[in-house]
Amino acid sequence: MSFVEYSDCIQDGDVAIVYLGHNSVMPVKVQQGAQTQTRYGVIRHSSDLIGQPYGSKVTCSKGGWVYVLHPTPELWTVALPHRTQILYTTDIATITMMLELKPGSVVCESGTGSGSLSHAILRTIAPTGHLHTVEFHQQRAEKVQEEFTEHRVDHLVTVRNQDVCKDGFGVTGVADAVFLDIPSPWEAVGHAKAAMKRQGGRLCSFSPCIEQVQRTCQALVDQGFQEINTLEVLLRIHDVRTVSLPLPDFGPDSRSDGVEETSPNHAAVSLKTTTPPREMPGHTGYLTFATKPRT
Amino acid sequence: MADNGDDEYRIQQGDYVVLKRGDIFKAVQIVPKKKIIFEKQWFFLDNAVGNLYSTTFEISSGGILQPQKLKETGTPSDLKEAGTDNRNIVDDGKSQKLTRDDIETLKEQGLKGQEIIQQLIENSSTFRDKTEYAQDKYIKKKKKKYENTVTVLKPSCRILAMMYHGREPGKICHLRYDTLAQMLTLANIHARSKVLVFETCAGLVLGSIMERMGGYGSVIQMYPGGGPVRAGVESFGFPAHFHDTLHEFPICHVNALLAGDLDTTAKDPTAEEKFSLAADEEQIQPEAEQQGSPEEQSMETNAEDDAAQDQEKIEKEKRKEAKAQERKVKLEEKRKKLAAAAALLEGRNADGLVIASRFHPCPVLMTLLRFLAPSRPFVVYSQYKETLIECYTKLKEQGGTVNLRLSDTWLRHYQVLPNRTHPVLLMSGGGGYLLSGMTVAVDQSKPAASQRSEEPAPKRQKLKDTEG
């Protein structure tokens, strides 16, 4: 297992994703002799996991069952332990495309936070790219470094524990793309420019508030960035279900003489449709993209 | 010019590039002396060769491109004079002193866009009374109309997806670029995997997948009809080695492959038939031309001796043989390709499946899912939600998948300007729908029928567990 390459069977030391049912997953560090408690009973790693193919159904002690899935950045995003607010897949997907990330890209990111976006970046830029990620919170920086090692992607990433607004990214002239998710991104725009390749590159800043966006856009203009564009992507999930709509009884129909053929009392039409969730996330953050021209 | 490390950033002859003006894109190949028409203007790209990508060119008379010099930013009118509101601005249609003919004359004089705009401003009686913001807006609008510049960009998934959506949404089943972005991520597209693609989006989806795989791993394109459509893939301008990772398999042979009776050793009879038909036509045509040519005729009338005729016959035979040989080689190549793609599919261990086509997605999904390994993601795009509801229902009935999700995304652009920040007035009404999920191992112990009836039982048990 690795977050950047599929393998068929679960091995000791892997991180597997246990799928418990509708939108409920948990990450499990696979260890010889270890056990994991789920609401359907216990999973014994040695017998239930190690050596089994990913995607297998595992029967737990209480008779219920779960599926064990190969880790992907998207599953990790919904399973990871939160240390901060995180970016979700909808925004991550947009960021990845608009930053033009691909194998070989060199990317700078700050802050690392819980590493949700970091894993997605690493998946996309492997096997030849590199991620320079900056996190000023020491404990978070250490924790995420640990995770990268556990997930076997540490060769693709450098974590720096410093303040990006003061000290920058720790690299200059190497990045194809820069991503900022910090409270005052306008203070880091200059450092972002310095981190990017002389030939140019793409920048993205994620901010929840419009005032932050305005200051960032002004800083981007001042630093000579082009193609400045702010957008927002919202995910709508559709619940598939069968609905049944009763037909009203209009009483006896004088036009149809004789006896009624059908009983109108229980008449209903059922159809497959989707219903929107009662509530949905209405805002995550504004995404501001820009191009750094050749300097 | 002699900078090192810039070579890959320079525009070269034969490159596939994207032209940009404002929000309009157009993909073209750089061909010597080829006339390009873009946004009602024509020009030649010959001068672009050797320049760096992302250079903006001015179009001068005769369609010659000149790299644009860094121009001074700021409004053309130095003295800033502006009104505070529009209470005294009356729309009498006479505020512009220049007539349409005047403007045409200015254009014919070869005036630059910037200069025409300046003229328009000077001859507008209301410009000074407009608010600062309205002035900005006026200039922006005129710039869009009169500026004759074009930027040459290196193609990328981002640019091409935006281009197709803006220019020819019908060709890509109205797949919006943010939806394409979701697909690439939900399908976990990355280097060194084996991905199955079925698309009728001009090759845009295929190209995007290839870009994300960076030439590592393999892509198998399942295609309907006579051959795969790849116009969009070409626009990406991938290096040659990327194409080594690309395989193709005709969807009409999928059933045979699944049943295990696809014979890739024998020649494909239908393909051969088509080939020989095409070859025959090819053969007939040049012969007809030859007979029609005056040289041939004169030769025939002048030299009536048997020797010459024999000679001709022999040559004809030879030509025929060469053609046949060529045909054989081509067929052999095609057979090899088919065999290679079949071999990749036979393991039924693909790492991802992406479907985006004008066909009904349900049968395509149900069939192609069988080539996927367990614990692998799949994504189906459809312009319509109803088809995906059907897919969802079928998958639930059949089992073998988890984490099913039917979704779509909204994309909203913002204008961010000092004191004028708001959502852009117009937004796309719909970018299509996605059904995504993950494969899991199917229970082999139970036959499919009994599995179906048993499926709900453990689910109910689960519910009780959580409640209790």
Side-chain angles (χ1 to χ4, degrees):
Chain A
M1 172 240 56
S2 145
F3 271 67
V4 296
E5 207 152 352
Y6 284 118
S7 46
D8 293 331
C9 289
I10 306 166
Q11 287 174 340
D12 195 9
D14 279 6
V15 172
I17 306 288
V18 173
Y19 181 84
L20 297 160
H22 189 66
N23 283 337
S24 170
V25 294
M26 60 190 278
V28 171
K29 214 185 297 176
V30 180
Q31 279 171 312
Q32 196 73 248
Q35 296 189 346
T36 300
Q37 290 292 339
T38 73
R39 58 174 181 252
Y40 309 123
V42 75
I43 301 172
R44 291 183 180 79
H45 293 201
S46 310
S47 56
D48 295 339
L49 298 181
I50 295 172
Q52 298 294 316
Y54 278 107
S56 300
K57 191 190 240 184
V58 172
T59 309
C60 305
S61 58
K62 284 191 205 163
W65 41 261
V66 298
Y67 283 107
V68 189
L69 301 178
H70 195 286
T72 66
E74 287 61 54
L75 286 169
W76 181 246
T77 288
V78 289
L80 62 82
H82 283 221
R83 298 179 288 271
T84 56
Q85 228 351 313
I86 64 161
L87 280 167
Y88 289 96
T89 298
T90 313
D91 285 320
I92 289 172
T94 313
I95 292 162
T96 309
M97 178 193 265
M98 299 306 261
L99 287 182
E100 304 189 340
L101 304 187
K102 55 192 178 198
S105 296
V106 176
V107 185
C108 288
E109 175 202 33
S110 187
T112 320
S114 304
S116 172
L117 174 68
S118 315
H119 280 82
I121 294 175
L122 289 168
R123 173 265 318 274
T124 305
I125 64 174
T128 48
H130 199 86
L131 172 66
H132 298 274
T133 185
V134 173
E135 170 61 53
F136 70 170
H137 191 287
Q138 193 192 342
Q139 199 190 356
R140 284 183 208 148
E142 282 164 8
K143 190 72 198 141
V144 86
Q145 176 68 60
E146 244 173 68
E147 279 172 3
F148 288 144
T149 311
E150 235 167 58
H151 299 165
R152 296 176 191 134
V153 289
D154 48 321
H155 57 293
L156 295 165
V157 53
T158 310
V159 184
R160 289 184 176 83
N161 178 210
Q162 59 193 43
D163 183 350
V164 73
C165 296
K166 285 205 193 95
D167 315 313
F169 289 93
V171 286
T172 47
V174 298
D176 298 287
V178 174
F179 176 78
L180 296 170
D181 178 10
I182 53 173
S184 54
W186 57 90
E187 290 178 27
V189 167
H191 293 296
K193 192 179 175 188
M196 289 165 106
K197 280 184 179 159
R198 194 172 48 100
Q199 289 87 354
R202 295 276 295 167
L203 176 138
C204 173
S205 172
F206 174 94
S207 295
C209 305
I210 203 74
E211 291 82 1
Q212 293 170 303
V213 173
Q214 288 178 311
R215 294 186 75 167
T216 308
C217 286
Q218 193 53 55
L220 288 168
V221 171
D222 294 344
Q223 293 279 354
F225 279 82
Q226 296 171 347
E227 276 189 280
I228 302 166
N229 187 13
T230 299
L231 53 88
E232 186 181 30
V233 181
L234 279 183
L235 177 73
R236 295 204 305 169
I237 294 179
H238 306 268
D239 287 325
V240 179
R241 60 185 57 195
T242 310
V243 295
S244 180
L245 304 175
L247 298 171
D249 179 6
F250 295 105
D253 192 344
S254 57
R255 281 175 300 173
S256 64
D257 32 36
V259 210
E260 283 164 44
E261 293 120 28
T262 51
S263 99
N265 288 341
H266 305 291
V269 173
S270 76
L271 64 136
K272 279 260 173 208
T273 184
T274 65
T275 53
R278 202 172 63 86
E279 274 184 327
M280 57 180 259
H283 180 64
T284 54
Y286 301 105
L287 294 168
T288 299
F289 294 95
T291 301
K292 189 202 95 126
R294 189 180 187 281
T295 40
Chain B
M1 282 298 262
D3 283 313
N4 281 330
D6 263 351
D7 287 352
E8 59 171 314
Y9 297 92
R10 285 193 192 283
I11 301 160
Q12 283 175 28
Q13 204 67 257
D15 275 4
Y16 288 90
V17 304
V18 179
L19 309 177
K20 176 179 188 272
R21 195 163 131 211
D23 296 326
I24 317 281
F25 298 92
K26 182 178 183 165
V28 293
Q29 191 183 15
I30 304 230
V31 178
K33 295 189 181 114
K34 194 183 169 195
K35 195 176 191 175
I36 308 275
I37 297 166
F38 178 52
E39 285 296 280
K40 294 175 191 161
Q41 279 184 309
W42 59 269
F43 50 86
F44 298 94
L45 282 169
D46 300 59
N47 270 13
V49 174
N51 281 289
L52 289 160
Y53 271 104
S54 304
T55 303
T56 301
F57 297 91
E58 259 173 57
I59 305 160
S60 31
S61 56
I64 311 283
L65 295 183
Q66 296 285 330
Q68 195 183 39
K69 289 174 196 84
L70 271 177
K71 63 165 179 218
E72 66 302 340
T73 44
T75 48
S77 51
D78 284 330
L79 66 146
K80 281 233 172 178
E81 204 182 319
T84 47
D85 54 46
N86 58 10
R87 74 181 79 188
N88 295 317
I89 297 181
V90 184
D91 184 10
D92 55 2
K94 292 179 202 153
S95 57
Q96 183 53 255
K97 299 282 179 287
L98 292 180
T99 62
R100 180 187 279 269
D101 291 339
D102 292 340
I103 297 169
E104 280 307 314
T105 326
L106 288 177
K107 269 199 209 165
E108 273 159 32
Q109 282 169 358
L111 233 61
K112 283 197 178 134
Q114 189 81 6
E115 293 159 346
I116 296 179
I117 296 165
Q118 190 61 42
Q119 292 275 340
L120 287 170
I121 291 171
E122 278 164 19
N123 288 290
S124 163
S125 58
T126 49
F127 187 81
R128 277 184 214 331
D129 299 329
K130 285 179 197 269
T131 64
E132 201 183 317
Y133 306 134
Q135 288 181 355
D136 252 16
K137 207 169 164 182
Y138 181 86
I139 292 169
K140 224 180 216 171
K141 216 167 136 189
K142 298 297 172 199
K143 253 191 186 166
K144 211 171 168 185
K145 197 166 173 192
Y146 293 105
E147 248 188 353
N148 46 351
T149 59
V150 59
T151 308
V152 180
L153 298 173
K154 213 177 173 79
S156 71
C157 159
R158 167 179 75 101
I159 291 165
L160 292 172
M162 286 168 73
M163 178 192 84
Y164 268 107
H165 187 255
R167 289 180 84 86
E168 304 172 296
K171 269 195 182 167
I172 55 165
C173 308
H174 294 260
L175 169 67
R176 214 208 287 130
Y177 40 96
D178 55 315
T179 312
L180 176 61
Q182 303 303 318
M183 291 171 74
L184 296 170
T185 297
L186 290 172
N188 193 22
I189 304 297
H190 63 279
R192 292 178 177 160
S193 47
K194 188 203 280 191
V195 181
L196 240 61
V197 189
F198 180 73
E199 68 130 283
T200 57
C201 295
L204 172 69
V205 175
L206 179 65
S208 306
I209 290 170
M210 287 171 71
E211 183 182 281
R212 286 289 177 91
M213 294 183 59
Y216 303 91
S218 44
V219 185
I220 307 145
Q221 181 184 16
M222 317 294 284
Y223 63 88
V229 176
R230 288 180 183 163
V233 179
E234 255 167 35
S235 298
F236 280 82
F238 290 128
H241 72 93
F242 272 52
H243 293 274
D244 301 340
T245 65
L246 178 56
H247 303 265
E248 63 212 40
F249 190 86
I251 199 113
C252 62
H253 286 336
V254 162
N255 275 337
L257 184 67
L258 282 167
D261 50 40
L262 176 73
D263 191 3
T264 53
T265 53
K267 284 167 200 159
D268 176 9
T270 56
E272 191 173 15
E273 229 167 76
K274 270 185 218 152
F275 247 101
S276 56
L277 264 174
D280 282 347
E281 272 167 36
E282 254 173 65
Q283 242 174 350
I284 290 161
Q285 266 179 341
E287 267 175 55
E289 264 170 47
Q290 274 164 11
Q291 273 165 9
S293 75
E295 290 158 58
E296 196 86 3
Q297 271 175 345
S298 65
M299 214 167 80
E300 263 177 68
T301 44
N302 286 351
E304 278 183 335
D305 49 323
D306 292 349
Q309 268 191 349
D310 278 353
Q311 186 76 24
E312 208 174 311
K313 242 183 208 166
I314 289 164
E315 255 172 44
K316 227 182 221 175
E317 281 295 305
K318 264 189 192 167
R319 250 183 280 142
K320 219 177 213 172
E321 222 163 89
K323 273 265 165 67
Q325 195 63 33
E326 208 176 290
R327 198 191 313 161
K328 240 184 198 168
V329 171
K330 266 193 188 159
L331 266 177
E332 179 65 12
E333 250 171 45
K334 203 175 180 192
R335 190 192 62 75
K336 266 189 190 158
K337 268 182 159 174
L338 184 74
L344 278 170
L345 288 169
E346 240 149 29
R348 300 200 185 181
N349 58 356
D351 295 319
L353 169 65
V354 178
I355 299 169
S357 79
R358 61 188 152 81
F359 293 90
H360 196 303
C362 201
V364 182
L365 175 66
M366 300 318 276
T367 309
L368 296 188
L369 263 185
R370 298 167 69 182
F371 292 105
L372 239 58
S375 195
R376 297 296 188 269
F378 60 88
V379 188
V380 193
Y381 167 82
S382 177
Q383 196 184 338
Y384 315 104
K385 193 167 67 174
E386 288 71 17
T387 57
L388 295 181
I389 292 176
E390 197 180 325
C391 290
Y392 184 99
T393 313
K394 275 258 168 64
L395 286 174
K396 280 279 183 194
E397 268 173 28
Q398 189 182 288
T401 55
V402 294
N403 221 7
L404 291 184
R405 196 181 77 174
L406 177 50
S407 65
D408 74 331
T409 47
W410 277 33
L411 177 66
R412 185 157 218 170
H413 284 269
Y414 285 83
Q415 167 181 304
V416 182
L417 288 170
N419 296 318
R420 281 160 293 163
T421 299
H422 58 71
V424 171
L425 299 184
L426 221 57
M427 71 183 269
S428 158
Y433 297 86
L434 293 178
L435 176 67
S436 62
M438 192 76 99
T439 56
V440 289
V442 253
D443 255 326
Q444 242 116 47
S445 52
K446 293 173 236 162
S450 73
Q451 196 191 345
R452 208 170 291 166
S453 55
E454 277 175 40
E455 193 76 51
K459 279 263 156 74
R460 268 200 291 277
Q461 191 187 342
K462 272 189 188 178
L463 271 175
K464 265 180 223 150
D465 277 356
T466 48
E467 279 161 10

